[in-house]
């Protein structure tokens, strides 16, 4: 049985929730987000709390119960506070900069890697080796950070590459003579 789904989602002040049969939308200071709902779960709103319950006792309904509740919580947190991921770049000559609506990464390739910044995201190169990605949509922030990291993930011998802030890289010993 879901332990996540049992907890109600508390809606903070400044966030308005619009609930219909097909979707739930949240509007706050950082924008508006929508989430399509399935018929397997029932979502209800009382004052400043949103509760999610399974519509029936099927396996699919029980599986979507906690997932729907977590997605609604991410919706509410996103429009009120937002989400931020930070990436650290380690390596000689590796750096990043934001030019217009593109993130330009120099990662040791013969060319610069240019990534188009999607609408709804704010990308700041705080230092040439530190990138802060922030936005209201948790999935969009995480996917963009993962795509940037995917160009040159951290390698285990020297630790060079793009890593999440605070990520620990398990280091390996090099060749011995």
């Amino acid at each position: 049985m879901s332990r996540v789904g049992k907890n109600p989602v508390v809606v903070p002040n400044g966030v308005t929730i619009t609930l219909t049969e097909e979707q739930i939308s949240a509007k706050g200071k950082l924008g508006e987000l929508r989430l399509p709902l399935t018929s397997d779960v029932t979502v209800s709103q009382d004052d400043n709390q949103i509760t999610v319950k399974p519509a029936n006792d099927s396996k699919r309904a029980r599986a979507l119960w906690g997932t729907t509740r977590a997605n609604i919580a991410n919706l509410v947190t996103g429009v009120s506070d937002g989400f931020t991921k930070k990436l650290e770049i380690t390596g000689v000559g590796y750096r990043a900069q934001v030019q217009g609506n593109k993130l330009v990464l120099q990662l040791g390739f013969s060319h610069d890697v240019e990534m188009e910044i999607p609408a709804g995201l704010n990308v700041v190169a705080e230092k040439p080796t530190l990138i802060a990605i922030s936005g209201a949509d948790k999935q969009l922030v995480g996917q963009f950070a993962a795509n940037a990291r995917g160009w040159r993930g951290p390698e285990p011998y020297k630790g060079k590459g793009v890593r999440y802030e605070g990520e620990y890289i398990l280091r390996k010993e090099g060749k011995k003579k």
Side-chain angles (χ1 to χ4, degrees):
M1 200 143 170
S2 176
R3 294 190 195 105
V4 174
K6 290 179 183 179
N7 301 330
V9 178
V10 178
V11 180
N13 292 335
V15 176
T16 58
I17 301 293
T18 308
L19 184 62
T20 63
E21 288 289 322
E22 298 89 32
Q23 73 176 3
I24 183 170
S25 63
K27 189 170 185 165
K29 64 181 180 185
L30 295 179
E32 184 175 0
L33 293 174
R34 292 181 176 85
L35 176 72
L37 298 174
T38 64
S39 60
D40 292 317
V41 294
T42 57
V43 180
S44 61
Q45 182 180 6
D46 317 319
D47 297 331
N48 65 343
Q49 289 188 339
I50 300 171
T51 55
V52 181
K53 298 233 186 287
N56 50 38
D57 201 33
S58 68
K59 189 170 185 174
R60 179 174 163 78
R62 286 181 285 134
L64 290 175
W65 179 20
T67 304
T68 304
R69 188 258 176 221
N71 287 338
I72 291 171
N74 289 340
L75 216 68
V76 170
T77 305
V79 296
S80 61
D81 300 332
F83 295 99
T84 302
K85 288 245 184 202
K86 291 191 177 190
L87 297 174
E88 296 173 343
I89 301 174
T90 309
V92 177
Y94 288 13
R95 59 185 164 270
Q97 58 187 355
V98 178
Q99 295 176 345
N101 67 337
K102 289 188 178 188
L103 175 65
V104 180
L105 300 170
Q106 295 174 346
L107 299 173
F109 298 121
S110 60
H111 55 48
D112 292 349
V113 176
E114 293 185 355
M115 296 179 67
E116 192 79 28
I117 299 172
L121 282 188
N122 184 24
V123 178
V124 178
E126 297 175 350
K127 292 188 238 170
T129 59
L130 186 65
I131 307 166
I133 303 164
S134 59
D137 190 354
K138 186 174 186 177
Q139 194 273 333
L140 193 61
V141 169
Q143 188 62 54
F144 188 78
N147 290 345
R149 183 181 184 271
W151 280 102
R152 179 79 75 177
E155 55 97 14
Y157 295 100
K158 292 185 178 178
K160 293 172 23 173
V162 181
R163 72 177 100 193
Y164 297 114
E165 187 179 51
E167 179 182 9
Y168 179 75
I169 305 303
L170 193 62
R171 302 294 292 272
K172 291 183 179 178
E173 190 176 351
K175 289 195 279 187
K176 295 180 190 167
K177 289 188 177 184

